[in-house]
Amino acid sequence: MSMIEFQNVEKYYGKFHALKNINLNFEKGEVVVVIGPSGSGKSTMLRCINGLESISSGHLLINDQDLYSKNIKLTEIRKNIGMVFQHFNLYPNKTVLENITLAPIKVLKQNEQDAIALAERLLDRVGMLDKKDSYPSMLSGGQQQRVAIARGLAMQPQMLLFDEPTSALDPEMIGDVLNVMKKIAKDGMSMIVVTHEMGFAKEVADRVVFMADGEVVEESRDVENFFNN
Ligand code: ADP
Ligand code: ADP
């Protein structure tokens, strides 16, 4: 059973045809890297999966449940599918620790002590424990992104989506963030990663999906060869 299944999915923004007959499966434990030119629909595809955008036609199944024909609550989906954005999107008026514990306490109803213990463990994992009482504005972009990843993991999602997580970072910060993503992948997290980082794709991806002009143009499990050709 696929965790995510696109069946003949079309997406229009007004008259603009952003996704064209997408048929794709994403399996549990898989790391899929999505590449393609700017404007090819990569971000739209991710945003459809976690309900930030709705599809125009076709079916999008999450754990065999149709995202649109049944009464699935978006909050339920977002509990299971985390997202890391290009621009981090941390809450500016909350500390690093509070950024991470907020949703587990509110949405998962974790008690505060458990949420803090988990947040500290995750911050340690991403190398940010010493900044737990800082505010986002005091951190570099790379540090903020590592916090954002810890925040995504704190919901203990089934899958984590990454939308160009290193594109807004200064070059010297990119390696730290990619290393954290590699660790998470090795832990077995299911991931879909939109990125231009070919080194990451070669090293970590089980599969590459190449999009252009709203279509999936190519798909390959032979990632090494894909980039050599
Ligand atoms: P990518 O992630 O590959 O750069 P996007 O999915 O962000 O591509 O965008 C695909 C196309 O859809 C682009 O031409 C973009 O301008 C357009 N688009 C994205 N979001 C919207 C929106 N909310 N309204 C109208 N057009 C949009
Ligand atoms: P990011 O690069 O951080 O993903 P974008 O600049 O691609 O952000 O898009 C930011 C927001 O603007 C998104 O919500 C996207 O859907 C929307 N957007 C992108 N392109 C268009 C467009 N052509 N018309 C209207 N909204 C758009």
Side-chain angles (χ1 to χ4, degrees), residues 13 16 18 37-44 53:
Y13 292 111
F16 182 78
S38 178
S40 57
K42 308 180 299 295
S43 180
T44 297
E53 291 287 354

Side-chain angles (χ1 to χ4, degrees), residues 19-208:
L19 293 179
K20 300 172 182 167
N21 193 30
I22 303 294
N23 288 283
L24 274 179
N25 291 357
F26 298 97
E27 312 293 331
K28 189 169 156 49
E30 218 186 0
V31 178
V32 180
V33 165
V34 181
I35 59 173
S38 178
S40 57
K42 308 180 299 295
S43 180
T44 297
M45 188 169 78
L46 290 191
R47 294 161 64 84
C48 286
I49 294 173
N50 80 344
L52 285 171
E53 291 287 354
S54 56
I55 63 174
S56 305
S57 65
H59 295 280
L60 180 44
L61 310 183
I62 303 206
N63 294 322
D64 272 349
Q65 280 197 295
D66 197 312
L67 192 45
Y68 296 99
S69 72
K70 286 200 181 148
N71 277 335
I72 305 187
K73 291 221 171 72
L74 278 183
T75 50
E76 288 302 313
I77 295 159
R78 296 205 182 113
K79 262 193 224 173
N80 284 325
I81 301 178
M83 183 133 164
V84 174
F85 299 89
Q86 185 175 355
H87 296 289
F88 334 126
N89 300 6
L90 297 175
Y91 304 108
N93 300 322
K94 301 204 178 293
T95 65
V96 162
L97 192 74
E98 289 163 351
N99 260 279
I100 297 174
T101 57
L102 186 75
I105 290 170
K106 265 196 165 168
V107 180
L108 301 182
K109 314 288 180 206
Q110 272 181 16
N111 76 51
E112 194 172 341
Q113 277 173 333
D114 289 348
I116 289 173
L118 174 62
E120 289 183 341
R121 208 160 64 234
L122 291 170
L123 281 171
D124 192 33
R125 189 100 180 95
V126 302
M128 290 296 298
L129 186 54
D130 59 333
K131 301 285 188 197
K132 67 176 179 164
D133 297 320
S134 299
Y135 286 86
S137 61
M138 300 157 76
L139 306 178
S140 72
Q143 290 174 326
Q144 290 187 58
Q145 193 59 300
R146 284 185 279 148
V147 171
I149 292 171
R151 180 177 61 178
L153 291 171
M155 290 296 281
Q156 297 168 281
Q158 291 182 358
M159 176 176 266
L160 207 46
L161 311 176
F162 293 82
D163 192 359
E164 303 204 16
T166 60
S167 296
L169 302 179
D170 292 333
E172 67 271 20
M173 315 261 167
I174 291 175
D176 288 341
V177 171
L178 292 178
N179 282 335
V180 165
M181 291 167 62
K182 284 176 200 169
K183 273 202 225 177
I184 295 165
K186 289 210 177 83
D187 289 345
M189 176 59 72
S190 312
M191 294 163 55
I192 306 176
V193 184
V194 173
T195 185
H196 301 287
E197 296 291 333
M198 299 307 147
F200 173 84
K202 274 192 202 177
E203 193 177 333
V204 182
D206 299 305
R207 181 155 55 111
V208 182

